[in-house]
Amino acid sequence: MKITDIQAVPISFPVPPEKSVRLGIGRSVKRDAVLVRVRTDEGLVGWGESHHGRCPGAIARLLDTTIRELVVGMDPLDVVGVTARILKMQFASHGMGAAAALALSGLDLALWDIRSQATGWPLYRLLGGTARPIKAYAGGISLGWQDPAQLAQEALGFVEQGYRALKLRVGDTPARDIARVKAVRSAVGDDIDILVDANTSYSIDDVRRVMPAYEEQNVGWLEEPFPAHDAQAYMRAARSGRVPLAAGENHYTRYEFAPLVASGDVSFIQPDLSKCGGITEGMRIAALAAAAKLSINPHTSATAINMATTLHYLCALDNPGYFEADVTSLNPFRDEMMDKPPYVLDKDGTVGPYEGTGLGLKIDEKFLAAHPLIEGPCYV
């Protein structure tokens, strides 16, 4: 079998003001994604998702040109060989570019889709795993910088749905962040896990100020207080309190995760399969984390493809942590793009993979045609 074509499909939808959420990287005004379609000479077609990187048109263009030229004609079942070629021909000579990592990720997911179709197996089985319950937290673009009382009500709604863990968006000011965490803890009680995500918006001083309060409120982790490249800040923050740090959604390939794991500063590892290099690199990253006795708690991207793939991936690991359930109030990429939702929460607050070939989902190409790329920023 050979790859005959690769085509990027950038898609968007606007977020109306009443559905917008404000967090550390701005206020959401639209959602973007870049889907990747891979065709083969035997008629199998695979779909993947690349993170948009705030510039979906550029990611799509890279896939349609450079990445396509590198891998057309290769065996789509040789995922290790395809990754190795892109690492050699693109990363090695031009550095760890974010766009190249995002493009590789979507391509790799599409190739694993083809592998699953070729075997007729669910993805989790192809990866060496089994269907199992995975604990989920309410995440996505939600639980943002609202008034504390309003935020507490939103949190209670997710608990009523069955979630046993929630992730709050912090990164505002220490005082306002602490007030929000306290309000939610008071509302949901002590049996619900509370996680917080600063979206890279904290300073070292901010971390020193919030750590005692977060510890008092039994916060499970402080996610991405700083940008991924700021290793010194993570080292200092890890010594500023006892709330563990989480990071990884903006780290790319095993080469960036290896020093992150080795540092000992981050306790929860969070690769995004649409950013880190896909499943092929994701399995290597999980092995690095397992060797350090750390769990994998992936960040999920915009569409049902990434979400469902992530769930199958977690079922194939010996160190699975949380699945991030996207509870964004408006996300047609989650709700309308496929023939069914990417996951279903059960009464215990866990989720599991579908049976059937691959992800157990089918894409609606008419939906893609109805949601073309919208130029401009997705957060303002």
Side-chain angles (χ1 to χ4, degrees):
M1 193 186 312
K2 291 185 179 181
I3 298 170
T4 57
D5 194 28
I6 296 170
Q7 181 183 8
V9 184
I11 54 176
S12 303
F13 70 88
V15 176
E18 67 273 14
K19 296 291 186 179
S20 180
V21 175
R22 181 166 179 78
L23 46 142
I25 53 176
R27 179 174 59 83
S28 60
V29 293
K30 71 181 176 85
R31 295 290 296 272
D32 299 311
V34 179
L35 302 191
V36 185
R37 177 169 48 206
V38 177
R39 300 184 188 274
T40 69
D41 62 350
E42 294 188 12
L44 296 182
V45 178
W47 286 93
E49 178 192 339
S50 290
H51 192 274
H52 56 78
R54 288 204 178 197
C55 196
I59 306 303
R61 184 64 176 163
L62 178 60
L63 278 156
D64 287 340
T65 56
T66 302
I67 300 300
R68 181 184 183 279
E69 292 167 5
L70 286 174
V71 301
V72 164
M74 293 187 71
D75 180 355
L77 305 182
D78 182 16
V79 293
V80 171
V82 170
T83 294
R85 178 163 175 77
I86 293 174
L87 289 175
K88 173 180 171 59
M89 301 301 293
Q90 182 69 24
F91 289 70
S93 59
H94 291 81
M96 187 68 76
L102 307 186
L104 168 61
S105 300
L107 169 62
D108 185 78
L109 267 57
L111 296 182
W112 278 95
D113 184 20
I114 290 170
R115 295 186 99 223
S116 293
Q117 293 176 53
T119 61
W121 283 5
L123 179 58
Y124 69 77
R125 183 178 299 164
L126 190 63
L127 292 170
T130 189
R132 68 185 76 188
I134 301 291
K135 60 184 182 179
Y137 70 81
I141 310 300
S142 63
L143 296 163
W145 291 2
Q146 301 101 308
D147 171 80
Q150 182 185 10
L151 180 64
Q153 285 301 307
E154 183 182 357
L156 279 172
F158 295 131
V159 173
E160 290 171 0
Q161 291 178 29
Y163 287 100
R164 308 302 298 164
L166 312 166
K167 188 169 80 176
L168 312 182
R169 300 293 181 157
V170 295
D172 188 0
T173 69
R176 287 195 284 265
D177 287 342
I178 291 168
R180 293 184 179 108
V181 172
K182 286 183 175 180
V184 172
R185 175 59 76 198
S186 177
V188 303
D190 295 333
D191 294 334
I192 302 299
D193 291 341
I194 294 179
L195 317 168
V196 300
D197 183 353
N199 292 114
T200 73
S201 295
Y202 273 161
S203 66
I204 292 290
D205 186 59
D206 290 334
V207 172
R208 290 197 184 104
R209 291 172 184 270
V210 299
M211 273 291 193
Y214 289 171
E215 183 177 345
E216 180 186 6
Q217 299 302 315
N218 196 25
V219 168
W221 75 47
L222 169 56
E223 180 175 336
E224 280 206 316
F226 318 113
H229 57 259
D230 202 344
Q232 284 291 321
Y234 277 94
M235 180 182 69
R236 294 170 65 188
R239 290 151 179 77
S240 297
R242 291 191 289 181
V243 176
L245 304 182
E249 74 173 84
N250 291 304
H251 287 76
Y252 307 127
T253 79
R254 74 197 106 137
Y255 298 110
E256 290 193 346
F257 277 90
L260 178 72
V261 170
S263 72
D265 298 326
V266 172
S267 300
F268 295 93
I269 306 302
Q270 300 177 301
D272 182 329
L273 295 180
S274 291
K275 291 183 173 184
C276 72
I279 294 170
T280 304
E281 283 295 288
M283 295 299 286
R284 293 162 170 165
I285 292 161
L288 287 169
K293 294 184 169 52
L294 300 177
S295 63
I296 294 292
N297 304 263
H299 174 263
T300 54
S301 282
T303 86
I305 291 177
N306 174 283
M307 297 172 196
T309 301
T310 296
L311 186 49
H312 282 261
Y313 166 68
L314 282 167
C315 285
L317 305 182
D318 62 358
N319 56 335
Y322 276 113
F323 171 78
E324 181 177 11
D326 175 33
V327 296
T328 310
S329 62
L330 174 68
N331 186 357
F333 294 168
R334 174 196 62 207
D335 299 332
E336 302 174 29
M337 197 180 83
M338 313 295 276
D339 61 339
K340 51 189 170 184
Y343 55 86
V344 177
L345 188 76
D346 67 17
K347 61 181 179 58
D348 298 317
T350 66
V351 293
Y354 289 117
E355 298 298 329
T357 300
L359 302 179
L361 300 168
K362 294 183 179 178
I363 198 162
D364 180 356
E365 295 194 43
K366 292 181 180 178
F367 175 89
L368 305 185
H371 292 81
L373 173 65
I374 301 171
E375 299 288 356
C378 51
Y379 295 96
V380 296

